[in-house]
Amino acid sequence: MNINYLQQKAAEIRLKVIEGVSSAASGHPGGSLSISDILAVLYFDKMNITPKNPGNPDRDRFVLSKGHAAPAYYGALALSGYFDENEIKKLRTIGSFLQGHPDMIKVPGVDMSTGSLGQGLSAATGMALYAKRRNKKFHVYAIIGDGEMQEGQIWESFMTSAHYSLDNLTVFIDLNGLQIDGEVKDIMNNNPVREKLTAFGWNTIVIDGHSIPEIGAAIDAAKETFGKPTAIICNTIKGKGVSYMENKVSWHGAAPDANLAELAMEELGQQLKKLREVG
Amino acid sequence: MALSTREAYGEALRKLGAKYDFWVMDADLSKATKTDLFADAYPERFINMGIAEGNLMSTAAGLASCGQTVFASTFAIFATGRAFEQVRNSIAYTNLNVKVAATHGGVLIGPDGGSHQAIEDISNMRTLPNMTVVVPCDAASTYEAVEQAINLVGPVYLRFGRFPGDDVYKTGSCPFEIGKGNVLIDGNDVTLIAIGDMVPESIKAASILKQNGIDAAVIDMHTVKPIDAPLIIEYAAKTGAVVTAEDHNIIGGLGSAVAEVLAENCTARLGRIGVQDLFGRSGSKEELKKYYKLTAEDIAEKAMALVEYKRTRR
């Protein structure tokens, strides 16, 4: 695992997030930036993917259950070679296949359409059930949001995957603490997350969701866990990497204007430059 | 004794399970939906999701995304009501190969009462792009509907009833093509277009009408979407009067689908037999048929009124 390389990829994904949402003048930068490191590790190290053959039946699956973080997802897919990076400038426009939320019919590499919160994790569970029953070797990954955990369906699928011992399913929980209307703990507290997941029969690992080595180690540990699914509970910062967005609920679903976008690109560009210098 | 369409559904799954590789999922109602017949025969292809219908639909979508055909079964009210948005976003929007196969559709499911009697399921499913809507009327056509749903790539809503009715077709010799209505009786004075339990009622209505000197055509419009518009137009032109009959709210179901075709293409007069924008209530099937005016006599009366209307307008 080349940590510097993956940190660079995370920075590149973040640049794509800003490029996408600022071009579209809408979208969800905060929760995209909070999962960029996870996506970098999945798409550039851990997942078995074949971007030139997106439908490969043996590929690992990924479901972005918090579908509003599509800009980061599209960034990871484009940088992996699923489609032309320039498409990201057309995000959310009528002529583009890049919809506001991921669409599996339109976007190469998207394994499940998401956007309506709570449904993606169930779909990931269905994929894992298939693999388990048919002895397929692929692994299924999903990312859910902490606000998304307020959806009852999330807990229905937590029950299902534990019930069916789906150790081929690994779920990242993006615990950034913020949702549209404010702090998760104020809107509808869902703590303690780890204790709840443990009680539901899950293997749980708590990490810094921006630490590439911790993300990598947690995935390795998940794949060594048998008989139960793994939740990697990621402490993250909404807006991570763009100073003025960090921990600001207002950047959940708002795009930066041209000046602010430039500021963000500059900051992320500096981060990338530094990584390239030491890498 | 005729089989109910739900029993025929379970039998069809069990038989077709030997011929095709598909999955069946249920939400703790397998004994009522009759998917237990499949579960017993093919446990490795059956998944019980517990009482969680939204989760059932999205999980079925994930399974289908792996190239699998999946039947997701529960009662119609839960499949299309509680889980509507999961069916919409996880199944229809994605155009995945999930057959939402629901039993206990309509008020004629009897004693469970209004909370369990889906009167809006066909309407809900009909508005979803990519969704095909099929309502077989007896055991033989249920078998054909299930097999054709397996062979049709994409989402299908299948609606089954609770209690047996009269058989309309003979087993093994049922003409059935999704999207093509079946003319069961030809006629010139009025056309009765029906689905489900109202098909045998319409056949009875045609004989009542015959005794009154009225020559009624009867069509089993088992596919509500895509509806067989050419057949409706042909019979509207031929008979000038159409009566629809369904165990469903008259708003949004078969009657509405036929009305849409007629309004854009024909000058025929339409009458709709169905649940008159009311919720259901407990009772026996026969009692409920009378209470909600879903009997052969009700259909015949409506048809006679239309024929009379035509005569006075001539």
Side-chain angles (χ1 to χ4, degrees):
Chain A
M1 182 176 198
N2 184 334
I3 294 163
N4 178 276
Y5 168 75
L6 294 174
Q7 287 170 332
Q8 287 184 40
K9 288 295 167 193
E12 290 174 27
I13 291 170
R14 290 192 165 94
L15 280 162
K16 292 291 175 204
V17 169
I18 300 302
E19 188 182 315
V21 295
S22 62
S23 306
S26 73
H28 300 83
S32 297
L33 295 170
S34 65
I35 64 164
S36 296
D37 301 289
I38 300 165
L39 289 173
V41 176
L42 286 174
Y43 276 86
F44 295 94
D45 192 71
K46 296 299 182 190
M47 282 210 309
N48 171 31
I49 53 168
T50 50
K52 296 299 162 212
N53 177 19
N56 174 8
D58 299 323
R59 72 192 186 278
D60 284 342
R61 305 299 202 276
F62 173 76
V63 179
L64 182 65
S65 196
K66 46 169 287 184
H68 55 279
Y73 191 12
Y74 296 155
L77 291 172
L79 292 165
S80 300
Y82 282 97
F83 53 83
D84 184 355
E85 290 176 33
N86 288 318
E87 190 69 20
I88 287 176
K89 295 193 185 76
K90 296 190 250 167
L91 172 67
R92 290 178 165 243
T93 59
I94 189 77
S96 177
F97 55 82
L98 296 181
Q99 303 298 294
H101 295 82
D103 181 334
M104 65 185 291
I105 295 176
K106 295 187 173 71
V107 187
V110 169
D111 292 323
M112 179 54 59
S113 303
T114 53
S116 175
L117 294 177
Q119 298 188 27
L121 184 57
S122 301
T125 304
M127 297 171 190
L129 263 167
Y130 165 72
K132 182 62 78 181
R133 291 269 180 106
R134 293 283 166 98
N135 292 316
K136 304 290 177 187
K137 297 303 168 208
F138 66 79
H139 201 86
V140 184
Y141 298 92
I143 301 181
I144 65 173
D146 50 0
E148 184 181 13
M149 294 176 78
Q150 293 159 356
E151 289 283 2
Q153 189 175 347
I154 289 287
W155 300 91
E156 294 176 359
S157 62
F158 280 158
M159 245 189 301
T160 302
S161 36
H163 179 81
Y164 286 109
S165 307
L166 300 180
D167 48 20
N168 54 353
L169 173 67
T170 299
V171 177
F172 297 87
I173 302 177
D174 178 21
L175 217 66
N176 63 38
L178 298 178
Q179 59 186 113
I180 301 179
D181 276 353
E183 292 190 43
V184 174
K185 68 178 171 52
D186 296 330
I187 304 304
M188 186 51 66
N189 185 26
N190 56 22
N191 279 318
V193 169
R194 182 177 207 171
E195 286 79 352
K196 286 175 184 167
L197 264 295
T198 306
F200 269 64
W202 281 59
N203 176 43
T204 58
I205 304 170
V206 179
I207 62 164
D208 170 357
H210 301 305
S211 162
I212 300 287
E214 287 189 31
I215 297 166
I219 293 170
D220 293 343
K223 294 184 88 166
E224 291 299 311
T225 300
F226 299 100
K228 53 170 83 170
T230 294
I232 302 176
I233 300 164
C234 303
N235 288 302
T236 58
I237 295 168
K238 200 153 183 167
K240 173 74 177 176
V242 178
S243 308
Y244 66 82
M245 288 188 180
E246 288 190 358
N247 281 321
K248 294 279 196 312
V249 74
S250 54
W251 290 107
H252 171 90
D257 63 19
N259 289 337
L260 282 173
E262 200 181 310
L263 197 66
M265 300 288 265
E266 203 177 292
E267 184 178 0
L268 292 168
Q270 283 298 325
Q271 290 169 18
L272 186 58
K273 190 167 164 243
K274 271 188 203 155
L275 287 166
R276 282 178 177 159
E277 279 166 11
V278 299
Chain B
M1 183 70 182
L3 285 184
S4 65
T5 51
R6 69 179 169 128
E7 290 166 313
Y9 167 57
E11 282 294 338
L13 290 178
R14 190 178 59 76
K15 283 185 195 144
L16 292 165
K19 189 172 170 189
Y20 300 97
D21 180 20
F22 60 85
W23 300 68
V24 178
M25 300 172 76
D26 205 304
D28 193 44
L29 287 171
S30 65
K31 291 183 179 70
T33 62
K34 297 298 168 192
T35 60
D36 63 339
L37 297 175
F38 181 89
D40 290 344
Y42 308 100
E44 73 287 354
R45 286 189 271 148
F46 178 80
I47 301 168
N48 202 325
M49 296 298 293
I51 309 167
E53 295 80 10
N55 190 37
L56 162 73
M57 296 305 171
S58 301
T59 308
L63 186 52
S65 78
C66 298
Q68 306 299 298
T69 300
V70 186
F71 284 78
S73 283
T74 178
F75 289 175
I77 188 64
F78 310 132
T80 71
R82 177 188 291 260
F84 174 77
E85 204 250 348
Q86 282 84 357
V87 172
R88 181 198 188 272
N89 276 320
S90 291
I91 295 170
Y93 182 56
T94 53
N95 202 21
L96 283 166
N97 213 3
V98 178
K99 318 306 170 186
V100 179
T103 65
H104 295 64
V107 295
L108 299 184
I109 67 159
D112 279 346
S115 60
H116 282 56
Q117 291 160 318
I119 51 161
E120 64 286 84
D121 56 320
I122 296 169
S123 176
N124 285 353
M125 293 297 102
R126 201 166 73 84
T127 56
L128 293 177
N130 295 333
M131 186 65 79
T132 296
V133 178
V134 177
V135 187
C137 66
D138 71 352
S141 58
T142 292
Y143 184 90
E144 302 298 329
V146 171
E147 182 160 21
Q148 289 198 20
I150 292 167
N151 288 317
L152 188 154
V153 179
V156 177
Y157 177 63
L158 289 154
R159 184 211 222 205
F160 305 115
R162 161 81 177 79
F163 291 110
D166 295 336
D167 280 336
V168 173
Y169 302 100
K170 284 194 178 69
T171 306
S173 62
C174 167
F176 197 96
E177 187 182 340
I178 287 180
K180 299 274 180 233
N182 284 339
V183 180
L184 302 175
I185 300 172
D186 210 348
N188 293 303
D189 298 333
V190 59
T191 306
L192 313 180
I193 302 179
I195 51 171
D197 278 318
M198 292 298 99
V199 176
E201 289 300 323
S202 295
I203 293 169
K204 282 183 217 158
S207 40
I208 296 171
L209 290 166
K210 178 138 281 176
Q211 287 158 23
N212 287 275
I214 294 168
D215 184 21
V218 177
I219 296 174
D220 170 16
M221 194 59 83
H222 50 72
T223 306
V224 180
K225 183 191 170 188
I227 196 133
D228 190 349
L231 189 66
I232 295 170
I233 294 166
E234 180 192 337
Y235 272 80
K238 182 173 169 179
T239 63
V242 176
V243 176
T244 57
E246 62 193 311
D247 177 10
H248 185 275
N249 199 339
I250 55 158
I251 299 172
L254 173 73
S256 294
V258 171
E260 288 157 18
V261 174
L262 294 178
E264 288 187 345
N265 300 284
C266 312
T267 53
R269 190 77 168 173
L270 172 70
R272 290 174 296 158
I273 292 290
V275 179
Q276 303 292 317
D277 202 20
L278 296 165
F279 283 112
R281 60 183 298 151
S282 294
S284 73
K285 183 175 181 177
E286 291 308 316
E287 287 165 344
L288 290 163
K289 251 187 219 170
K290 290 191 177 73
Y291 186 92
Y292 287 99
K293 301 194 183 308
L294 301 173
T295 66
E297 289 74 19
D298 295 312
I299 298 167
E301 193 182 322
K302 179 75 81 180
M304 284 188 265
L306 293 190
V307 171
E308 179 61 16
Y309 174 85
K310 265 200 313 182
R311 197 183 59 76
T312 57
R313 300 268 294 192
R314 211 168 266 150

